């Protein structure tokens, strides 16, 4: 599945209606962004069940400011409508794959408890907390060091 550009008008709808959404904030003048773009596109092709979205920070300055983006590229990950990961800076393909693995295996009930987020907050869970849908080759959580 190709990457999906987001705007200020589509951001909330996309994040709240999909189990897992990755969002890459980028700009055309950013060298690290252009290096990350093919890695991100390959990930989108390998994981069609995950929305791989992009935000052009030059075209969407209000959305960029609302998200608190101050460094490019920045990758955000949402699960069940909740922000579960944020990282400014370039990521290799292996690092991006690790992020996806961790987001898939995240126990959302525990995540909500730890952060004081009321149950039922965010998008409806497509399944119980724990493993999200997708290929099972990611192994058990905690096998790799954090």
């Amino acid at each position: 599945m190709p990457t999906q550009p987001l705007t200020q008008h589509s951001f909330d709808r996309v994040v709240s209606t999909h189990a897992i959404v990755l969002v890459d904030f980028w700009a055309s003048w950013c060298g690290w962004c252009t290096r990350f773009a093919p890695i991100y596109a390959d990930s989108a092709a390998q994981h069609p069940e995950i929305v791989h979205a992009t935000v052009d920070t030059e075209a969407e300055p209000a959305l960029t400011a609302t998200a608190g983006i101050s460094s490019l590229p920045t990758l955000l990950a949402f699960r069940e409508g909740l922000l579960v990961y944020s990282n400014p800076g370039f990521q290799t393909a292996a690092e991006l794959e690790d992020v996806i693995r961790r987001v898939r295996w995240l126990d959302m009930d525990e995540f909500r408890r730890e952060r004081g987020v009321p149950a039922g907050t965010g998008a409806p869970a497509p399944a119980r907390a724990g493993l999200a849908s997708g290929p099972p080759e990611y192994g058990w959580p905690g096998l790799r060091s954090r």
Side-chain angles (χ1 to χ4, degrees):
M1 172 185 274
T3 60
Q4 176 179 347
L6 296 181
T7 66
Q8 186 170 4
H9 302 291
S10 64
F11 187 89
D12 288 337
R13 178 182 47 79
V14 170
V15 166
S16 67
T17 59
H18 294 87
I20 298 175
V21 180
L22 302 178
V23 184
D24 172 30
F25 284 81
W26 66 278
S28 60
W29 51 263
C30 168
W32 288 110
C33 297
T34 57
R35 289 182 181 176
F36 182 61
I39 293 169
Y40 196 64
D42 287 347
S43 178
Q46 291 174 7
H47 300 285
E49 73 286 359
I50 296 174
V51 175
H52 284 67
T54 60
V55 174
D56 179 350
T57 59
E58 294 176 305
E60 296 293 333
L63 177 55
T64 302
T66 299
I69 304 302
S70 60
S71 181
L72 298 177
T74 292
L75 180 68
L76 303 181
F78 295 85
R79 174 124 179 240
E80 298 174 18
L82 300 173
L83 179 65
V84 296
Y85 175 85
S86 175
N87 186 60
F90 176 81
Q91 294 186 32
T92 65
E95 290 168 333
L96 179 56
E97 191 64 25
D98 189 52
V99 168
I100 290 170
R101 181 189 62 82
R102 290 176 186 270
V103 170
R104 281 187 196 279
W105 282 95
L106 184 62
D107 182 331
M108 290 304 291
D109 290 336
E110 181 67 22
F111 178 84
R112 286 184 180 93
R113 272 193 303 278
E114 288 176 356
R115 286 156 183 82
V117 177
T121 302
R128 64 172 179 72
L131 179 63
S133 61
E137 69 270 12
Y138 293 92
W140 293 96
L143 286 180
R144 293 173 58 181
S145 63
R146 290 187 182 241

